[in-house]
Amino acid sequence: MIKELLFGFLLIHSSIAKHERSTNSKPARRVQTRRLQAGPGPGTAGPGPGPKKWLTLNGKEPLVIAQGGSPGLFPDSSEVGYAAAIAMGMVGTLKYCNLQLTKDNLGVCLADIKLNNCTNAPDKFPKQKRRYSINGHDIDGWFPIDLTIDEIIKEVRLMQNIFSRASVFDFVFPPLPPDSVFGLEPKGRLWLNVQNDLFWSQHQLNVVQYIDDSKEFFVADYISSPEIGFLKAIGGSKTFDKTITKLVFRFLSPTEAEPTSKETYGALVKKLGEIKTFASGILVPKDYVWPVGKDGYLRPATTLVADAHKEGLEVFASGFSSDVFSSYNYSYDPTVEYLQFVDNSEFSVDGVVTEFPGSASNAIACLAQNPKSGPKIAETLIISHNGASIDYPGCTDLAYKKAISDGADIIDCNVQMTKDGVAFCLDSADLLGKTNAAMAFMDRSTSIPQIQPKSGVFTFDVTWTEIKSVKPLIQNPFQSAGLQRNPKMKNAGKFLTLLEFLEFANKNTVTGVLIGIQHAAYLAAKKGLDIVRTVTDALKKASLDPKKQVLIQSDDTSVLAKFKASAPTYQRVLLFTKPISDAPKPVINDIKKYADVVNVVKKSIIQENKIYVTTGSTKIIGEMHSANISVYVSGFSTETLSMMLDFYSDPYTELITFLTEGIDGVITDNPKTASAFMRSPCVDPNSAASFVFQPVKPGDYLAQVQPEALPPASPPLPPLQASDVVDPPLPPVNAAARKGNSDGGSSDSGQPRIVVDVVVTTLLLFGLITLIGF
């Protein structure tokens, strides 16, 4: 129901764009709309077995404060953004309005005092560019104090103030006055932030008077400001009621000077007792609580929260944004960061100011309420992708250990073959990019179009001893966008042979293993390597616990056919590495002959367009399920760039959306997130829990975008053909090729690397001598 309400709200954006405000000197009361809420809405008890004892000052759950609504998806301070915050957030979510004053001393909520940073004001008022001194800095731009409230509401339209975010809703929605934001709910909840009172006062505008005059239209729950003078002034107002509104002193950068006292905020943070005389709480950038070092890793927490609580001050942390890197400690899962602030054993902040209120609500209302290792509630399988490859180099012992401790049901090994016939786990046959082998084996680089279009150093041209001499390398699929994975562990761990992997799985609590086999035909015909026999023998030798499930995965139906004949108890998984959207019944029947499961990429289930939003669902799940074929989906991670924009940069929103589609297994780089998701009562939409994870209906977001803002539609994916599924029988193993391969290179493991290292070292020494001599 919640999604229907939210997107029904979106449908009226054309009428919102025409919104006009009366010219009265006082703000007009906005007609109040029906409250949007996520199911029955969470109370302080959450979905757990009973009320949780929080370490906040009042012992209640921390507040979620939606900064500008949901600016991660919609323009900051837009009506639709605030509506989304109410819809996606837990009950009690506060709407945060960054107050700006207009020429006629009326308020408007805007992300920035500079209109050109967040609106189209320069286009509408080209002659209104001005220069003002704000807190000692001369700033050029367009400012609200040069326009009336009518001019802003009628003419100005909002745009994303962070240009890396979706721009398809730019210039559609007008700014809102605080009373309109307040009136979005029957019982308005509002946090008013007054950032530049000294500036307004210098231009004969009075924030205190505006707030006093507006009391019949809205009353804020919290008012924050970085200026001591303003907080004392509003607190001393005859109409101020401290039983209704709390005052919060906002800290800026530690080196910045507070306008009233002229002291730096770094000095004022040591004077909490003085702050208590005019405020009931403090709002601090989150690194005041949990500092992050220059290396991107967390430092020990400060004592600020404990010190403030001793003085009777609430502590609110700001700066939370799911699509902005925070720390490697969080493995790009935004909820882990929230839990670090609200659910550690030492303290809890009293609230978080966030641009992604849905993620904060997921953390506080769901994940903080449940045992970390409770039983799974969702039946969907959690399958690792190269182990916990978001934290360690893939296919290493450390990655597999982490995947198991994080709650993976099944760990995976994509089998590669070495020149001397050793089977081991590695994501691909190419060592480049997976190891630091580029220098050690540069003379082995070859081009094999049957394997991949680019040149590489392939495992079947290198011995196992040689492979053990190189270091694994963590994969960074979004490195071009600046997202790296756990650099401290970029070369950690060691590769495992297939037998070592199976023995490791046998000793641990996983319910099964997935063994991937590719390039079997090439290995047999060109290299004389029988990967199918090697895998079969390893599985027999390992003597796996019969209770452990064995899944054999391949993109080659001839490989699956061999296992169907020799090991019918194994589940066979047909891999599709490219997106598919439709499978006619004859093709489904062909798949059924070879496989029990298909493994498809995410785009095969939920399709997307060129602006990275979903366009709708395919028929694949229904078609496969009709033939009793399970569907596993690969490509899950927690980096925000791995998700479509309408998943709100939230892995839990993405996961619940795919579970709602009916998938049977998730294949993920981060099993920890998937495990926390599957074990939360919020995963069950029919649960009695007061808050549940909320799926997105694919295509709904796109339906609200104005047609002129959309790129040309992508052509539909063609349906599967029989030729896409059925492969020719495997060729016999070419013993002569194996002998030639063995004779073609030295089995001395270190020789190629030693030769290269000697050459490189000689060149470096020669260059150094030349430089010194010069």
Side-chain angles (χ1 to χ4, degrees), residues 614-635:
T614 62
T615 60
S617 305
T618 69
K619 302 176 182 178
I620 289 297
I621 292 178
E623 291 169 336
M624 296 297 172
H625 282 180
S626 67
N628 201 29
I629 299 172
S630 298
V631 180
Y632 298 162
V633 180
S634 59

Side-chain angles (χ1 to χ4, degrees), residues 271-307:
K271 299 181 178 181
L272 297 175
E274 293 182 20
I275 293 172
K276 176 61 178 173
T277 63
F278 60 84
S280 63
I282 58 174
L283 171 61
V284 297
K286 60 185 180 180
D287 58 0
Y288 273 63
V289 178
W290 279 102
V292 177
K294 292 181 179 179
D295 60 358
Y297 291 90
L298 285 178
R299 295 295 180 258
T302 69
T303 61
L304 176 60
V305 177
D307 295 342

Side-chain angles (χ1 to χ4, degrees), residues 20 87 165 194 208 356 453 469 476 491 506 513 607 654 754:
E20 295 185 2
R165 292 175 175 170
V194 180
V208 175
F356 291 82
S469 72
N476 293 297
N491 297 122
N506 210 23
V513 294
Q607 296 183 317
E654 181 184 48
I754 291 173

Side-chain angles (χ1 to χ4, degrees), residues 49 119 138 155 246 253 270 353 356 369 475 548 571 603 618 721 748 751:
T119 75
D138 290 336
E155 301 294 334
K246 294 182 178 181
S253 167
K270 301 174 183 177
V353 178
F356 291 82
Q369 303 286 351
Q475 298 301 290
K548 292 192 184 292
Q571 277 208 320
K603 292 180 184 179
T618 69
Q721 305 293 326
D748 183 348
Q751 191 62 33

Side-chain angles (χ1 to χ4, degrees), residues 30 32 164 186 316 406 433 498 524 553 576 638 658 717:
R30 180 173 180 79
Q32 295 179 342
S164 61
F316 303 95
D406 284 348
L498 174 59
Q553 175 176 277
F576 291 96
T638 41
F658 274 87
L717 295 172

